[in-house]
Amino acid sequence: MKRVGKHTFTLVELIIVILILGIIAAIAIPQFVSATSDAQEASLQANLAVMRNAINLYYHQHGATYPGAKKTDGTGTATVAADNPAAFADQLTLYTNAAGGTSASLDRTNYPYGPYVTNGITNNPVNSFTTVTVVTDAAALTAADIDGLTGWVFSVTTGEIRANATGYLNY
């Protein structure tokens, strides 16, 4: 009878396989990291496009006034002041009238506009915040306005919205 022996890998063969896998990993991992940052950037651009479209539609339907520029009851006596992040969010996510007043329920007679963003303010994929810093000066947004504490920075004067994350001012 012939004895059939088991063939096992030698130590040298195992080391060669481990080296090859290490080289492949060293090449592949940076590609995945780059793809992740590219996807994050693409998501940021898409979310900014949604926000900018909503802001532009609000602007055109409300007599050249940006969201957050008027108090949310439209009469000047609301508890949510103009130039306030809550006023900005309310006026984009609720039904509105021409004066900037808001209503949570559908009332096409008194609040015929909106909501402009139906699932709430979109998140900033860089820092995962959905909050907004409202800037009231007339100048364009600058790097000094970027503090990373909220998702977005919005100028109620110019209608400009930017990602509130260091290195993303030009988006």
Side-chain angles (χ1 to χ4, degrees), residues 125-164:
V126 175
N127 60 19
S128 298
F129 293 136
T130 60
T131 52
V132 178
T133 298
V134 176
V135 179
T136 59
D137 61 7
L141 295 176
T142 65
D145 297 314
I146 305 299
D147 59 13
L149 299 176
T150 61
W152 310 104
V153 177
F154 175 71
S155 171
V156 75
T157 307
T158 64
E160 183 180 14
I161 189 166
R162 301 279 182 196
N164 191 357

Side-chain angles (χ1 to χ4, degrees), residues 93-118:
T93 60
L94 301 174
Y95 298 97
T96 59
N97 60 22
T102 60
S103 171
S105 59
L106 177 62
D107 179 357
R108 289 291 178 204
T109 303
N110 297 311
Y111 297 93
Y113 308 114
Y116 302 94
V117 182
T118 56

Side-chain angles (χ1 to χ4, degrees), residues 15-34:
I15 290 174
I16 291 172
V17 168
I18 291 171
L19 284 174
I20 291 171
L21 290 175
I23 292 170
I24 291 171
I27 293 170
I29 289 175
Q31 299 299 323
F32 289 123
V33 171
S34 176

Side-chain angles (χ1 to χ4, degrees), residues 73-93:
D73 76 344
T75 66
T77 60
T79 57
V80 177
D83 303 335
N84 182 302
F88 174 85
D90 285 352
Q91 290 169 341
L92 285 182
T93 60

Side-chain angles (χ1 to χ4, degrees), residues 43-53 152 161-163 171:
S43 179
L44 174 65
Q45 290 176 345
N47 288 357
L48 271 170
V50 168
M51 292 298 293
R52 288 175 177 151
N53 288 336
W152 310 104
I161 189 166
R162 301 279 182 196
Y171 287 91

